[in-house]
Amino acid sequence: MRLRYVGSSSSQLAVERMLRGLGAAGGVDALFSVEWFMEAATAGKGALETSALWCACRVYEGIVGVSLRELSMPSESRGVRLGAYGGIDKMKVEDRRRVEKTARQLVKTVSELWETDGLGREEEMGEQASTGSDSLTLYGDSRLPTEHVKGLDPLITLLDVRTQRAISISAGTERSSAEGREMAKLHAALALQTLSISSSILGSRFPPLLLHAIYPILRSLVSSHNLLSSTAMAALHHVTTASGYAAPANLLLSNFDYALDSASRRLFRSRLDLKATKVLVILVRLVGKDVVQRAGDVVEECFDRLDEYHGYSTIVEGLVEVLSEVVKAVEAEEEPTERPRPNVWGGPAKTTEIKSGTAAFMEWCKQRKMDKESEDIPEDFGPAPHQPWGREPQPDEDDAPTDPPGNDPPKPSITQALISKIIRRCLPFLTHSSPLIRARMLSLMRSATVVLPVEEIGPSIHSAWPFILNRLKDSQTFVVTEAANLIDALAWNFGEFMGSRMQRDVWPAYRKMLEALEAGDRESALAARKHGPDTTPYSHSHRL
């Protein structure tokens, strides 16, 4: 981050050291300067407010004895306080309490900067800040810059005013708007630095303030601006180290309720933020496979919002992306269910090794001989009555078990139950108006076939089977492809369950698709130039 009127990096470093020195020399009394700069910085997001926030951060560093520039070096990555600028460790108890109180107030003040509607308000404020007039009039005429002009006043006519106005509107509006958005991002990055310095002051007492500070950090992580996202990642690591956690994943998992609640509150109509779904995605991604313990809360929140915003494609797509991240985390935690895969000659294969040709035929012959030899073994007809008909059981006799032990299906694990719940709740969205949502829901169901047994996914597939078949007739090609991939995964993993459905429903639909494809090849002008549609490598069927 470079200052506008400072020519070299050494000069900027000298200015930073000067402000830190002023903070260290003033000590606790310099907190008034920080509060004054912060009051000016929270009035907007223009150049004046950004400069005030930068000065507040540098003076704040000098008071507490922390330099974020040196802490960004690898040797100082553990958050060691620098005694060259004083430090909070050398303060008295009363002064330290006052600094900690100010740090808590600054965390809450800075976090309120992200309390926007999320629908373009940041860009709007950035455009207003680029003009410069609104920011200066907030403090009266005493804050206006002094301008010295030599010579006579130029004569400006109405024609000159109109010409100058037209030029400024056509050429300067786009540039000022871009500068305003850039200044708003710089303002947010400096606000994150303030949060980092406050975490160094409070240490292990900072996590309760994550109720306010966790959303600004995660919200900045999903920004497309390189400086803002990198600053947010550095702030997350700094807060993790200052709070005494080993990794950001541990910090987020321990304060998962704070992060989930802050993102969920931005999904209500009164304070809707379109990037809140991206915050949930990055939250699940940073926590990793350990999110399985709390994934149920995320899934419930997503489906509550899906029921509310099912008609808004942008929000629904973001929530579906969150569910996809949850399924990926569950797949990383849960091992895929091992199932016998069918071979070429019918019947389940004994091993997962794929055999073809002569090897598969010889294996089939051995299995056939073993089946013939086993015919001589007397067949077990199951349980039979062990007492005469009509005899009433005596009280001292034990009742014979009705079901043989060990035949009960195994209970699904927590992760399998979670994925099964996702599949059941996803069924209504197979008929959504957005083709992208339909395709993503089919992809979610295909991913679930790897983890879930047939006892869990079978009822959901049975209920959704008509909708899956209708997706084979979808107008969008990528939706048809996802439906075909889902049917392929079902047939591969649940052959007996899908046998009759493949013969009765799927093959007729595939036959119509192949006939339409063949008709298209015959009508293709490119294929007609060759020796026929069946032999040309340029036909659609050959490429497929």
Side-chain angles (χ1 to χ4, degrees):
M1 188 180 301
R2 298 294 300 274
L3 299 179
R4 178 178 298 179
Y5 298 109
V6 177
S8 61
S9 58
S10 59
S11 300
Q12 180 173 344
L13 183 60
V15 174
E16 293 179 4
R17 289 177 177 175
M18 178 197 68
L19 293 176
R20 293 194 193 100
L22 291 175
V28 182
D29 295 334
L31 289 176
F32 292 106
S33 301
V34 176
E35 294 174 355
W36 186 85
F37 280 124
M38 289 298 300
E39 183 180 358
T42 54
K45 296 185 179 181
L48 182 63
E49 292 81 7
T50 304
S51 301
L53 188 56
W54 183 83
C55 294
C57 290
R58 304 290 81 82
V59 177
Y60 199 21
E61 287 177 346
I63 295 173
V64 301
V66 174
S67 177
L68 296 180
R69 177 183 289 272
E70 279 103 7
L71 289 178
S72 62
M73 303 298 178
S75 60
E76 301 286 348
S77 61
R78 306 302 289 177
V80 180
R81 295 182 174 87
L82 303 178
Y85 304 109
I88 191 173
D89 295 334
K90 302 178 182 179
M91 294 182 181
K92 299 179 181 179
V93 178
E94 295 79 5
D95 296 341
R96 183 164 184 169
R97 289 177 180 175
R98 182 180 173 185
V99 172
E100 291 177 354
K101 182 179 179 180
T102 304
R104 293 186 178 92
Q105 293 177 353
L106 290 179
V107 169
K108 296 178 182 179
T109 302
V110 169
S111 301
E112 291 177 356
L113 297 175
W114 276 264
E115 295 293 333
T116 60
D117 55 3
L119 299 176
R121 172 132 182 214
E122 292 183 1
E123 287 77 7
E124 180 182 354
M125 292 187 67
E127 294 176 3
Q128 293 177 359
S130 63
T131 59
S133 58
D134 297 339
S135 301
L136 291 174
T137 54
L138 290 173
Y139 311 102
D141 296 338
S142 59
R143 300 286 300 276
L144 291 175
T146 303
E147 183 179 3
H148 300 278
V149 180
K150 295 182 179 181
L152 300 176
D153 294 336
L155 180 62
I156 301 178
T157 62
L158 292 177
L159 182 61
D160 296 333
V161 172
R162 291 178 181 178
T163 305
Q164 183 179 4
R165 197 172 186 181
I167 294 175
S168 62
I169 292 176
S170 59
T173 303
E174 184 178 357
R175 181 177 59 86
S176 62
S177 177
E179 290 179 355
R181 289 193 296 268
E182 186 75 15
M183 196 61 63
K185 301 301 181 182
L186 292 177
H187 189 275
L190 290 171
L192 293 176
Q193 292 186 9
T194 307
L195 294 178
S196 301
I197 301 171
S198 300
S199 66
S200 300
I201 297 173
L202 298 174
S204 60
R205 295 181 294 277
F206 186 78
L209 292 173
L210 288 174
L211 177 64
H212 308 280
I214 192 65
Y215 186 80
I217 297 176
L218 296 179
R219 176 66 168 78
S220 302
L221 274 176
V222 300
S223 175
S224 58
H225 195 268
N226 187 23
L227 175 63
L228 183 57
S229 59
S230 59
T231 304
M233 181 59 69
L236 179 60
H237 283 277
H238 191 92
V239 170
T240 301
T241 304
S243 302
Y245 289 93
N250 303 110
L251 173 71
L252 295 175
L253 185 61
S254 300
N255 302 274
F256 195 84
D257 293 335
Y258 290 161
L260 181 60
D261 179 71
S262 61
S264 301
R265 285 188 284 109
R266 268 77 177 185
L267 288 174
F268 290 108
R269 294 181 182 272
S270 59
R271 51 193 306 186
L272 181 62
D273 187 357
L274 296 179
K275 290 297 183 67
T277 57
K278 299 294 183 181
V279 172
L280 290 175
V281 170
I282 199 66
L283 174 63
V284 175
R285 192 175 299 170
L286 287 175
V287 175
K289 61 181 182 180
D290 294 332
V291 79
V292 176
Q293 307 171 8
R294 313 300 301 273
D297 300 335
V298 181
V299 172
E300 284 294 336
E301 185 63 35
C302 288
F303 280 113
D304 289 343
R305 301 286 79 79
L306 281 173
D307 295 338
E308 185 177 359
Y309 299 107
H310 61 275
Y312 301 90
S313 301
T314 304
I315 302 177
V316 173
E317 289 174 7
L319 293 172
V320 171
E321 187 178 0
V322 178
L323 293 176
S324 301
E325 288 295 329
V326 172
V327 172
K328 290 179 182 179
V330 171
E331 287 180 355
E333 176 69 16
E334 188 78 9
E335 295 182 359
T337 305
E338 295 183 1
R339 303 181 180 93
R341 296 186 175 182
N343 55 30
V344 180
W345 303 98
K350 296 298 181 181
T351 60
T352 57
E353 181 182 0
I354 300 177
K355 298 181 180 180
S356 60
T358 307
F361 179 75
M362 297 300 296
E363 185 70 23
W364 175 76
C365 288
K366 292 180 182 179
Q367 184 67 27
R368 187 182 181 189
K369 289 182 179 180
M370 294 176 62
D371 293 340
K372 286 184 176 181
E373 293 176 356
S374 62
E375 291 179 358
D376 300 333
I377 302 175
E379 186 176 357
D380 185 12
F381 294 97
H386 298 280
Q387 57 185 2
W389 294 102
R391 179 187 174 187
E392 297 180 358
Q394 301 296 327
D396 55 346
E397 294 180 355
D398 297 334
D399 296 335
T402 56
D403 295 330
N407 290 341
D408 295 336
K411 294 183 179 180
S413 62
I414 298 177
T415 55
Q416 290 178 347
L418 179 64
I419 295 184
S420 179
K421 186 176 182 179
I422 293 175
I423 295 302
R424 289 196 304 268
R425 299 291 297 270
C426 282
L427 299 184
F429 294 96
L430 290 174
T431 58
H432 198 273
S433 59
S434 174
L436 181 60
I437 296 175
R438 298 196 298 266
R440 287 187 174 179
M441 288 300 178
L442 292 170
S443 178
L444 272 177
M445 299 178 68
R446 178 172 57 86
S447 302
T449 59
V450 183
V451 181
L452 292 180
V454 67
E455 293 82 6
E456 290 293 324
I457 199 174
S460 300
I461 296 299
H462 179 73
S463 302
W465 186 244
F467 307 113
I468 296 175
L469 291 177
N470 289 336
R471 298 285 70 79
L472 292 175
K473 306 173 185 178
D474 200 281
S475 58
Q476 299 295 330
T477 307
F478 63 92
V479 179
V480 178
T481 303
E482 289 295 337
N485 291 335
L486 173 60
I487 294 174
D488 175 70
L490 291 173
W492 185 255
N493 294 297
F494 313 109
E496 297 180 359
F497 178 76
M498 292 291 296
S500 60
R501 289 179 171 83
M502 293 291 296
Q503 183 179 4
R504 183 181 64 250
D505 302 326
V506 177
W507 285 121
Y510 280 179
R511 183 176 181 178
K512 293 181 180 179
M513 295 170 63
L514 292 175
E515 289 176 353
L517 184 63
E518 185 179 1
D521 289 340
R522 285 196 299 265
E523 297 175 359
S524 175
L526 182 62
R529 296 180 186 176
K530 304 297 178 181
H531 302 287
D534 297 334
T535 57
T536 175
Y538 299 100
S539 62
H540 294 288
S541 58
H542 181 83
R543 296 182 207 174
L544 293 176

PDB file of all heavy atoms in Angstrom, residues 160-185:
ATOM      1  N   ASP A 160     -18.832  27.434 -22.162  1.00  0.00           N
ATOM      2  CA  ASP A 160     -17.685  26.735 -21.578  1.00  0.00           C
ATOM      3  C   ASP A 160     -18.126  25.807 -20.452  1.00  0.00           C
ATOM      4  O   ASP A 160     -17.598  24.710 -20.299  1.00  0.00           O
ATOM      5  CB  ASP A 160     -16.671  27.761 -21.052  1.00  0.00           C
ATOM      6  CG  ASP A 160     -16.089  28.607 -22.169  1.00  0.00           C
ATOM      7  OD1 ASP A 160     -16.042  28.103 -23.303  1.00  0.00           O
ATOM      8  OD2 ASP A 160     -15.698  29.755 -21.898  1.00  0.00           O
ATOM      9  N   VAL A 161     -19.077  26.260 -19.669  1.00  0.00           N
ATOM     10  CA  VAL A 161     -19.556  25.416 -18.568  1.00  0.00           C
ATOM     11  C   VAL A 161     -20.199  24.144 -19.092  1.00  0.00           C
ATOM     12  O   VAL A 161     -19.953  23.042 -18.599  1.00  0.00           O
ATOM     13  CB  VAL A 161     -20.538  26.214 -17.686  1.00  0.00           C
ATOM     14  CG1 VAL A 161     -21.198  25.299 -16.659  1.00  0.00           C
ATOM     15  CG2 VAL A 161     -19.814  27.353 -17.005  1.00  0.00           C
ATOM     16  N   ARG A 162     -21.021  24.283 -20.135  1.00  0.00           N
ATOM     17  CA  ARG A 162     -21.679  23.104 -20.690  1.00  0.00           C
ATOM     18  C   ARG A 162     -20.659  22.152 -21.318  1.00  0.00           C
ATOM     19  O   ARG A 162     -20.756  20.939 -21.175  1.00  0.00           O
ATOM     20  CB  ARG A 162     -22.696  23.537 -21.736  1.00  0.00           C
ATOM     21  CG  ARG A 162     -23.901  24.260 -21.137  1.00  0.00           C
ATOM     22  CD  ARG A 162     -24.859  24.727 -22.212  1.00  0.00           C
ATOM     23  NE  ARG A 162     -25.994  25.431 -21.645  1.00  0.00           N
ATOM     24  CZ  ARG A 162     -26.964  25.981 -22.366  1.00  0.00           C
ATOM     25  NH1 ARG A 162     -26.924  25.891 -23.696  1.00  0.00           N
ATOM     26  NH2 ARG A 162     -27.961  26.603 -21.763  1.00  0.00           N
ATOM     27  N   THR A 163     -19.674  22.707 -22.025  1.00  0.00           N
ATOM     28  CA  THR A 163     -18.667  21.852 -22.649  1.00  0.00           C
ATOM     29  C   THR A 163     -17.846  21.120 -21.600  1.00  0.00           C
ATOM     30  O   THR A 163     -17.586  19.913 -21.710  1.00  0.00           O
ATOM     31  CB  THR A 163     -17.749  22.697 -23.536  1.00  0.00           C
ATOM     32  OG1 THR A 163     -18.540  23.412 -24.481  1.00  0.00           O
ATOM     33  CG2 THR A 163     -16.747  21.813 -24.264  1.00  0.00           C
ATOM     34  N   GLN A 164     -17.420  21.848 -20.573  1.00  0.00           N
ATOM     35  CA  GLN A 164     -16.632  21.226 -19.518  1.00  0.00           C
ATOM     36  C   GLN A 164     -17.449  20.165 -18.769  1.00  0.00           C
ATOM     37  O   GLN A 164     -16.945  19.115 -18.391  1.00  0.00           O
ATOM     38  CB  GLN A 164     -16.145  22.303 -18.546  1.00  0.00           C
ATOM     39  CG  GLN A 164     -15.239  21.767 -17.441  1.00  0.00           C
ATOM     40  CD  GLN A 164     -14.761  22.881 -16.524  1.00  0.00           C
ATOM     41  OE1 GLN A 164     -15.174  24.025 -16.691  1.00  0.00           O
ATOM     42  NE2 GLN A 164     -13.912  22.541 -15.578  1.00  0.00           N
ATOM     43  N   ARG A 165     -18.729  20.420 -18.602  1.00  0.00           N
ATOM     44  CA  ARG A 165     -19.576  19.470 -17.895  1.00  0.00           C
ATOM     45  C   ARG A 165     -19.748  18.196 -18.719  1.00  0.00           C
ATOM     46  O   ARG A 165     -19.713  17.079 -18.185  1.00  0.00           O
ATOM     47  CB  ARG A 165     -20.937  20.121 -17.655  1.00  0.00           C
ATOM     48  CG  ARG A 165     -21.761  19.427 -16.616  1.00  0.00           C
ATOM     49  CD  ARG A 165     -22.993  20.246 -16.311  1.00  0.00           C
ATOM     50  NE  ARG A 165     -23.746  19.706 -15.231  1.00  0.00           N
ATOM     51  CZ  ARG A 165     -24.872  20.216 -14.781  1.00  0.00           C
ATOM     52  NH1 ARG A 165     -25.338  21.321 -15.351  1.00  0.00           N
ATOM     53  NH2 ARG A 165     -25.506  19.654 -13.789  1.00  0.00           N
ATOM     54  N   ALA A 166     -19.921  18.358 -20.033  1.00  0.00           N
ATOM     55  CA  ALA A 166     -20.087  17.181 -20.888  1.00  0.00           C
ATOM     56  C   ALA A 166     -18.822  16.328 -20.912  1.00  0.00           C
ATOM     57  O   ALA A 166     -18.872  15.096 -20.888  1.00  0.00           O
ATOM     58  CB  ALA A 166     -20.466  17.626 -22.310  1.00  0.00           C
ATOM     59  N   ILE A 167     -17.672  16.978 -20.953  1.00  0.00           N
ATOM     60  CA  ILE A 167     -16.415  16.229 -20.973  1.00  0.00           C
ATOM     61  C   ILE A 167     -16.213  15.477 -19.664  1.00  0.00           C
ATOM     62  O   ILE A 167     -15.783  14.317 -19.639  1.00  0.00           O
ATOM     63  CB  ILE A 167     -15.241  17.189 -21.248  1.00  0.00           C
ATOM     64  CG1 ILE A 167     -15.355  17.764 -22.662  1.00  0.00           C
ATOM     65  CG2 ILE A 167     -13.906  16.473 -21.066  1.00  0.00           C
ATOM     66  CD1 ILE A 167     -14.304  18.806 -22.981  1.00  0.00           C
ATOM     67  N   SER A 168     -16.520  16.139 -18.556  1.00  0.00           N
ATOM     68  CA  SER A 168     -16.328  15.485 -17.257  1.00  0.00           C
ATOM     69  C   SER A 168     -17.263  14.298 -17.095  1.00  0.00           C
ATOM     70  O   SER A 168     -16.910  13.296 -16.487  1.00  0.00           O
ATOM     71  CB  SER A 168     -16.561  16.494 -16.133  1.00  0.00           C
ATOM     72  OG  SER A 168     -17.896  16.970 -16.164  1.00  0.00           O
ATOM     73  N   ILE A 169     -18.489  14.413 -17.628  1.00  0.00           N
ATOM     74  CA  ILE A 169     -19.432  13.309 -17.498  1.00  0.00           C
ATOM     75  C   ILE A 169     -19.012  12.130 -18.359  1.00  0.00           C
ATOM     76  O   ILE A 169     -19.052  10.974 -17.933  1.00  0.00           O
ATOM     77  CB  ILE A 169     -20.857  13.781 -17.864  1.00  0.00           C
ATOM     78  CG1 ILE A 169     -21.355  14.767 -16.806  1.00  0.00           C
ATOM     79  CG2 ILE A 169     -21.807  12.604 -18.012  1.00  0.00           C
ATOM     80  CD1 ILE A 169     -22.706  15.364 -17.136  1.00  0.00           C
ATOM     81  N   SER A 170     -18.568  12.385 -19.580  1.00  0.00           N
ATOM     82  CA  SER A 170     -18.234  11.294 -20.501  1.00  0.00           C
ATOM     83  C   SER A 170     -16.903  10.636 -20.182  1.00  0.00           C
ATOM     84  O   SER A 170     -16.775   9.418 -20.260  1.00  0.00           O
ATOM     85  CB  SER A 170     -18.223  11.822 -21.945  1.00  0.00           C
ATOM     86  OG  SER A 170     -17.262  12.870 -22.059  1.00  0.00           O
ATOM     87  N   ALA A 171     -15.904  11.447 -19.823  1.00  0.00           N
ATOM     88  CA  ALA A 171     -14.561  10.894 -19.635  1.00  0.00           C
ATOM     89  C   ALA A 171     -14.212  10.620 -18.186  1.00  0.00           C
ATOM     90  O   ALA A 171     -13.385   9.741 -17.908  1.00  0.00           O
ATOM     91  CB  ALA A 171     -13.519  11.853 -20.234  1.00  0.00           C
ATOM     92  N   GLY A 172     -14.791  11.382 -17.266  1.00  0.00           N
ATOM     93  CA  GLY A 172     -14.363  11.245 -15.879  1.00  0.00           C
ATOM     94  C   GLY A 172     -15.232  10.401 -14.992  1.00  0.00           C
ATOM     95  O   GLY A 172     -14.811  10.016 -13.902  1.00  0.00           O
ATOM     96  N   THR A 173     -16.460  10.096 -15.440  1.00  0.00           N
ATOM     97  CA  THR A 173     -17.361   9.341 -14.573  1.00  0.00           C
ATOM     98  C   THR A 173     -16.861   7.928 -14.338  1.00  0.00           C
ATOM     99  O   THR A 173     -16.838   7.429 -13.209  1.00  0.00           O
ATOM    100  CB  THR A 173     -18.767   9.310 -15.196  1.00  0.00           C
ATOM    101  OG1 THR A 173     -19.216  10.643 -15.391  1.00  0.00           O
ATOM    102  CG2 THR A 173     -19.723   8.548 -14.297  1.00  0.00           C
ATOM    103  N   GLU A 174     -16.448   7.262 -15.404  1.00  0.00           N
ATOM    104  CA  GLU A 174     -15.977   5.879 -15.281  1.00  0.00           C
ATOM    105  C   GLU A 174     -14.706   5.808 -14.447  1.00  0.00           C
ATOM    106  O   GLU A 174     -14.545   4.917 -13.609  1.00  0.00           O
ATOM    107  CB  GLU A 174     -15.746   5.293 -16.672  1.00  0.00           C
ATOM    108  CG  GLU A 174     -15.337   3.823 -16.643  1.00  0.00           C
ATOM    109  CD  GLU A 174     -15.181   3.279 -18.037  1.00  0.00           C
ATOM    110  OE1 GLU A 174     -15.444   4.016 -19.007  1.00  0.00           O
ATOM    111  OE2 GLU A 174     -14.777   2.106 -18.156  1.00  0.00           O
ATOM    112  N   ARG A 175     -13.795   6.749 -14.666  1.00  0.00           N
ATOM    113  CA  ARG A 175     -12.542   6.732 -13.911  1.00  0.00           C
ATOM    114  C   ARG A 175     -12.792   7.007 -12.438  1.00  0.00           C
ATOM    115  O   ARG A 175     -12.234   6.350 -11.552  1.00  0.00           O
ATOM    116  CB  ARG A 175     -11.584   7.778 -14.491  1.00  0.00           C
ATOM    117  CG  ARG A 175     -10.238   7.823 -13.778  1.00  0.00           C
ATOM    118  CD  ARG A 175      -9.316   8.829 -14.444  1.00  0.00           C
ATOM    119  NE  ARG A 175      -9.903  10.153 -14.440  1.00  0.00           N
ATOM    120  CZ  ARG A 175      -9.797  11.024 -13.428  1.00  0.00           C
ATOM    121  NH1 ARG A 175      -9.144  10.670 -12.330  1.00  0.00           N
ATOM    122  NH2 ARG A 175     -10.327  12.226 -13.503  1.00  0.00           N
ATOM    123  N   SER A 176     -13.662   7.969 -12.118  1.00  0.00           N
ATOM    124  CA  SER A 176     -13.941   8.286 -10.723  1.00  0.00           C
ATOM    125  C   SER A 176     -14.665   7.135 -10.029  1.00  0.00           C
ATOM    126  O   SER A 176     -14.447   6.881  -8.840  1.00  0.00           O
ATOM    127  CB  SER A 176     -14.771   9.564 -10.644  1.00  0.00           C
ATOM    128  OG  SER A 176     -16.016   9.396 -11.297  1.00  0.00           O
ATOM    129  N   SER A 177     -15.540   6.459 -10.754  1.00  0.00           N
ATOM    130  CA  SER A 177     -16.238   5.320 -10.162  1.00  0.00           C
ATOM    131  C   SER A 177     -15.266   4.196  -9.824  1.00  0.00           C
ATOM    132  O   SER A 177     -15.351   3.584  -8.759  1.00  0.00           O
ATOM    133  CB  SER A 177     -17.316   4.822 -11.127  1.00  0.00           C
ATOM    134  OG  SER A 177     -17.950   3.680 -10.606  1.00  0.00           O
ATOM    135  N   ALA A 178     -14.315   3.928 -10.715  1.00  0.00           N
ATOM    136  CA  ALA A 178     -13.322   2.881 -10.453  1.00  0.00           C
ATOM    137  C   ALA A 178     -12.425   3.273  -9.280  1.00  0.00           C
ATOM    138  O   ALA A 178     -12.095   2.433  -8.435  1.00  0.00           O
ATOM    139  CB  ALA A 178     -12.490   2.631 -11.703  1.00  0.00           C
ATOM    140  N   GLU A 179     -12.033   4.550  -9.217  1.00  0.00           N
ATOM    141  CA  GLU A 179     -11.207   4.997  -8.102  1.00  0.00           C
ATOM    142  C   GLU A 179     -11.969   4.914  -6.783  1.00  0.00           C
ATOM    143  O   GLU A 179     -11.390   4.572  -5.736  1.00  0.00           O
ATOM    144  CB  GLU A 179     -10.744   6.434  -8.350  1.00  0.00           C
ATOM    145  CG  GLU A 179      -9.728   6.573  -9.472  1.00  0.00           C
ATOM    146  CD  GLU A 179      -9.313   8.017  -9.690  1.00  0.00           C
ATOM    147  OE1 GLU A 179      -9.905   8.892  -9.011  1.00  0.00           O
ATOM    148  OE2 GLU A 179      -8.426   8.263 -10.524  1.00  0.00           O
ATOM    149  N   GLY A 180     -13.254   5.210  -6.807  1.00  0.00           N
ATOM    150  CA  GLY A 180     -14.045   5.117  -5.586  1.00  0.00           C
ATOM    151  C   GLY A 180     -14.154   3.690  -5.084  1.00  0.00           C
ATOM    152  O   GLY A 180     -14.044   3.433  -3.873  1.00  0.00           O
ATOM    153  N   ARG A 181     -14.362   2.731  -5.988  1.00  0.00           N
ATOM    154  CA  ARG A 181     -14.415   1.328  -5.573  1.00  0.00           C
ATOM    155  C   ARG A 181     -13.070   0.853  -5.046  1.00  0.00           C
ATOM    156  O   ARG A 181     -13.000   0.087  -4.076  1.00  0.00           O
ATOM    157  CB  ARG A 181     -14.868   0.464  -6.750  1.00  0.00           C
ATOM    158  CG  ARG A 181     -16.330   0.649  -7.123  1.00  0.00           C
ATOM    159  CD  ARG A 181     -16.779  -0.445  -8.072  1.00  0.00           C
ATOM    160  NE  ARG A 181     -16.072  -0.372  -9.343  1.00  0.00           N
ATOM    161  CZ  ARG A 181     -16.519   0.301 -10.400  1.00  0.00           C
ATOM    162  NH1 ARG A 181     -17.661   0.986 -10.318  1.00  0.00           N
ATOM    163  NH2 ARG A 181     -15.842   0.313 -11.526  1.00  0.00           N
ATOM    164  N   GLU A 182     -12.002   1.311  -5.677  1.00  0.00           N
ATOM    165  CA  GLU A 182     -10.669   0.936  -5.194  1.00  0.00           C
ATOM    166  C   GLU A 182     -10.399   1.522  -3.816  1.00  0.00           C
ATOM    167  O   GLU A 182      -9.825   0.842  -2.941  1.00  0.00           O
ATOM    168  CB  GLU A 182      -9.620   1.443  -6.191  1.00  0.00           C
ATOM    169  CG  GLU A 182      -8.191   1.002  -5.874  1.00  0.00           C
ATOM    170  CD  GLU A 182      -7.953  -0.445  -6.210  1.00  0.00           C
ATOM    171  OE1 GLU A 182      -8.774  -1.024  -6.938  1.00  0.00           O
ATOM    172  OE2 GLU A 182      -6.948  -0.997  -5.741  1.00  0.00           O
ATOM    173  N   MET A 183     -10.840   2.744  -3.586  1.00  0.00           N
ATOM    174  CA  MET A 183     -10.636   3.366  -2.284  1.00  0.00           C
ATOM    175  C   MET A 183     -11.458   2.657  -1.203  1.00  0.00           C
ATOM    176  O   MET A 183     -11.009   2.524  -0.051  1.00  0.00           O
ATOM    177  CB  MET A 183     -11.021   4.852  -2.355  1.00  0.00           C
ATOM    178  CG  MET A 183     -10.485   5.680  -1.195  1.00  0.00           C
ATOM    179  SD  MET A 183      -8.672   5.676  -1.129  1.00  0.00           S
ATOM    180  CE  MET A 183      -8.283   6.476  -2.690  1.00  0.00           C
ATOM    181  N   ALA A 184     -12.650   2.180  -1.553  1.00  0.00           N
ATOM    182  CA  ALA A 184     -13.467   1.437  -0.585  1.00  0.00           C
ATOM    183  C   ALA A 184     -12.785   0.131  -0.185  1.00  0.00           C
ATOM    184  O   ALA A 184     -12.846  -0.289   0.977  1.00  0.00           O
ATOM    185  CB  ALA A 184     -14.851   1.166  -1.164  1.00  0.00           C
ATOM    186  N   LYS A 185     -12.114  -0.526  -1.132  1.00  0.00           N
ATOM    187  CA  LYS A 185     -11.399  -1.758  -0.800  1.00  0.00           C
ATOM    188  C   LYS A 185     -10.202  -1.477   0.100  1.00  0.00           C
ATOM    189  O   LYS A 185      -9.911  -2.250   1.029  1.00  0.00           O
ATOM    190  CB  LYS A 185     -10.935  -2.448  -2.089  1.00  0.00           C
ATOM    191  CG  LYS A 185     -12.056  -2.809  -3.046  1.00  0.00           C
ATOM    192  CD  LYS A 185     -13.061  -3.732  -2.424  1.00  0.00           C
ATOM    193  CE  LYS A 185     -14.166  -4.106  -3.420  1.00  0.00           C
ATOM    194  NZ  LYS A 185     -15.207  -4.963  -2.838  1.00  0.00           N
TER     195      LYS A 185
END
